[in-house]
Amino acid sequence: MNLKIILFSFIILFFSTNCNGKTESKHLKLKLVRYEVLQEPDDIAISSIDNCSFSDNGELFLISSIFSKNIYLYTSNYFGLIDILSPPEYLSDSLYQKGSYFRKEYQFIDPKKLRKKDPHFFFENRYTYGEFINDSTIFLCSKVSAKCELKKHGEDSTQRNIVPKWGTTRKTTVPLISYLNKNSKKYECFVLNSRRCSDDIQTSFAQANKIKYNKLKKEIYSIHETPYSMQDSLIDELIAIGRNDSKGKFIDIILPLPEIYKRTKLKYKLLNTVNVDIDDNGNVFILFPYLNKIFNASTDTNFDLTNLPSTNNELFEKIEKLKSEERSSYDYMYTLLKNEITLFTKSIFVTKNNNILVHVDHYILNEDKNQPILQLYNKEGSLIVQNTKISNKNENGKIEYIHYSKIDNKIRIFRKNAENWIIEEYEWSY
């Protein structure tokens, strides 16, 4: 009898684990409570949704789109559009007023001089990220356009004969952080620096595409292109996750780029796709695309995502081999990555209970299908529950973005069809 029990238990264990070591886990249950059409501006199409942020009272939310220059403000009770936040042109003026320089060789040209020379001249600035700090204050990050000219050096300057590869004048974009009081419409602006420098000289800047504000510590985390080596005044840069204070001053690097990205030289394709979230104790969790791993930058630890149908390890090895043999260009390797990738780690959210919710897309190449997966982990890296049965496409459209909010503990799926954006709102349990 005991032998039969042992044999039966072995059979159950065998069939609950597939040949890839994937074990059965508890199911994350999603209950659809409502869905609504997201109101869009009459004359502007929202092409993508990359971030969503709720006010503390839950009455309002912001939508950020990297490919749009605006941030959109909505009411959460019926998803109605309240306001469009567009970056004012005078953000470019603030760069010159701060007396900042671009890198070491250039200085910003006063926009007033440019407009005086050409009355039709204007800078097109772009918001890339918006986040509620409280019910009235919105943290904004923008790419601000500027024009620079080569600094003039004295007769005894050792740099007077050096002309950088960009020439004597150039256009550039600089990340600027702003705090907007949505009631008074007043701005407070700061340059987001990427390394220690004096108050009036910026040698390089952080990236403004993906960014996160830490309300507890009043710090900012973003992608940084940090100086790695310098030769003939030219900077070779590597990407890392950096920390700035609330006024944009650089503090330090909290997490270097994982080695696999350096070895494959795919680092510069990460600018829109690194995700950061923070728990109630200030721990900073970071998710890089394509890697089935979560990093805790505060404790210098990491853990693997488990129970997934595949990994990208073989593809990374293939790209490394091509690189080592110098058989393929960088663009070709990135195309290879896009065409053969099977796993895309997309978003990370710290939940109300300080667990970690992860959105992963599994690409089934031979069927040209994409299967969204939601997984919930504790902070130690143990998988608690998952859902692998979310339809990527239904009558409301195709999934473009999945968001979790601590404010009401709900999951929202943003879908796009030929005519509208649809938001599906879910309660969840396990």
Side-chain angles (χ1 to χ4, degrees), residues 194 211-214 217 219-224 226 239-245 249-258 274-278 282-288 295-301:
S194 75
I211 199 165
K212 187 69 181 176
Y213 186 87
N214 188 333
K217 297 183 177 180
E219 295 175 341
I220 301 163
Y221 309 113
S222 68
I223 297 171
H224 284 240
T226 55
I239 289 175
I241 307 299
R243 175 171 55 167
N244 296 62
D245 67 16
K249 186 177 180 181
F250 176 75
I251 301 173
D252 59 10
I253 295 297
I254 62 170
L255 188 68
L257 190 70
V274 177
N275 283 271
V276 180
D277 208 358
I278 304 151
N283 288 303
V284 182
F285 295 95
I286 300 174
L287 183 72
F288 290 93
F295 296 83
N296 185 335
S298 303
T299 60
D300 196 24
T301 58

Side-chain angles (χ1 to χ4, degrees), residues 235-279:
I235 297 175
D236 181 21
E237 296 169 333
L238 286 175
I239 289 175
I241 307 299
R243 175 171 55 167
N244 296 62
D245 67 16
S246 61
K247 294 186 177 181
K249 186 177 180 181
F250 176 75
I251 301 173
D252 59 10
I253 295 297
I254 62 170
L255 188 68
L257 190 70
E259 284 295 323
I260 188 66
Y261 292 106
K262 298 177 187 177
R263 295 200 303 267
T264 55
K265 291 191 175 181
L266 291 168
K267 53 185 180 290
Y268 289 104
K269 294 299 182 182
L270 303 177
L271 298 183
N272 297 338
T273 49
V274 177
N275 283 271
V276 180
D277 208 358
I278 304 151
D279 70 11

Side-chain angles (χ1 to χ4, degrees), residues 374-393:
L374 288 177
Q375 292 189 317
L376 186 70
Y377 292 84
N378 62 24
K379 288 190 293 184
E380 289 70 40
S382 297
L383 178 63
I384 300 171
V385 66
Q386 70 177 16
N387 187 318
T388 61
K389 298 181 180 179
I390 302 168
S391 296
N392 185 49
K393 193 173 183 180

Side-chain angles (χ1 to χ4, degrees), residues 65-84:
S65 174
I66 289 173
F67 300 108
S68 169
K69 70 176 185 178
N70 305 309
I71 301 292
Y72 304 96
L73 180 63
Y74 287 88
T75 177
S76 57
N77 58 356
Y78 61 92
F79 302 153
L81 181 65
I82 297 175
D83 199 2
I84 302 172

Side-chain angles (χ1 to χ4, degrees), residues 2-190:
N2 289 337
L3 183 61
K4 289 182 180 179
I5 293 173
I6 293 171
L7 183 60
F8 179 75
S9 300
F10 176 78
I11 292 170
I12 294 295
L13 178 64
F14 177 81
F15 281 104
S16 68
T17 305
N18 66 16
C19 59
N20 292 321
K22 183 175 171 233
T23 59
E24 293 296 324
S25 65
K26 290 176 67 177
H27 184 66
L28 188 154
K29 300 171 185 175
L30 294 174
K31 179 184 177 183
L32 180 65
V33 290
R34 70 162 175 160
Y35 66 90
E36 301 279 353
V37 174
L38 182 72
Q39 184 183 354
E40 293 185 75
D42 294 334
D43 55 345
I44 303 172
I46 301 176
S47 57
S48 68
I49 294 176
D50 305 290
N51 186 66
C52 181
S53 175
F54 279 77
S55 59
D56 288 349
N57 59 19
E59 294 178 0
L60 304 172
F61 68 93
L62 295 168
I63 282 179
S64 305
S65 174
I66 289 173
F67 300 108
S68 169
K69 70 176 185 178
N70 305 309
I71 301 292
Y72 304 96
L73 180 63
Y74 287 88
T75 177
S76 57
N77 58 356
Y78 61 92
F79 302 153
L81 181 65
I82 297 175
D83 199 2
I84 302 172
L85 307 179
S86 300
E89 190 185 354
Y90 69 73
L91 289 179
S92 296
D93 295 43
S94 67
L95 292 178
Y96 178 77
Q97 291 163 6
K98 292 176 184 296
S100 300
Y101 293 107
F102 176 72
R103 301 185 184 267
K104 281 192 170 183
E105 302 90 359
Y106 290 89
Q107 64 186 11
F108 292 119
I109 301 173
D110 187 351
K112 292 178 183 176
K113 288 184 179 179
L114 298 171
R115 294 188 195 104
K116 190 174 181 180
K117 189 176 180 180
D118 179 3
H120 301 290
F121 179 87
F122 74 97
F123 285 116
E124 184 176 1
N125 299 320
R126 181 180 297 273
Y127 281 139
T128 59
Y129 181 84
E131 181 180 348
F132 272 104
I133 294 178
N134 51 48
D135 289 333
S136 61
T137 306
I138 298 171
F139 171 74
L140 297 164
C141 198
S142 53
K143 283 186 173 179
V144 178
S145 299
K147 199 167 184 179
C148 314
E149 62 185 354
L150 195 64
K151 284 163 58 178
K152 295 177 181 178
H153 300 285
E155 288 294 325
D156 59 343
S157 173
T158 57
Q159 298 189 36
R160 66 181 180 274
N161 295 320
I162 296 174
V163 177
K165 63 181 179 181
W166 300 291
T168 56
T169 61
R170 72 185 303 261
K171 288 184 178 180
T172 187
T173 55
V174 176
L176 203 69
I177 55 171
S178 309
Y179 299 90
L180 170 65
N181 185 304
K182 71 177 181 64
N183 300 320
S184 67
K185 300 294 184 182
K186 289 185 177 179
Y187 281 85
E188 189 179 13
C189 305
F190 304 93

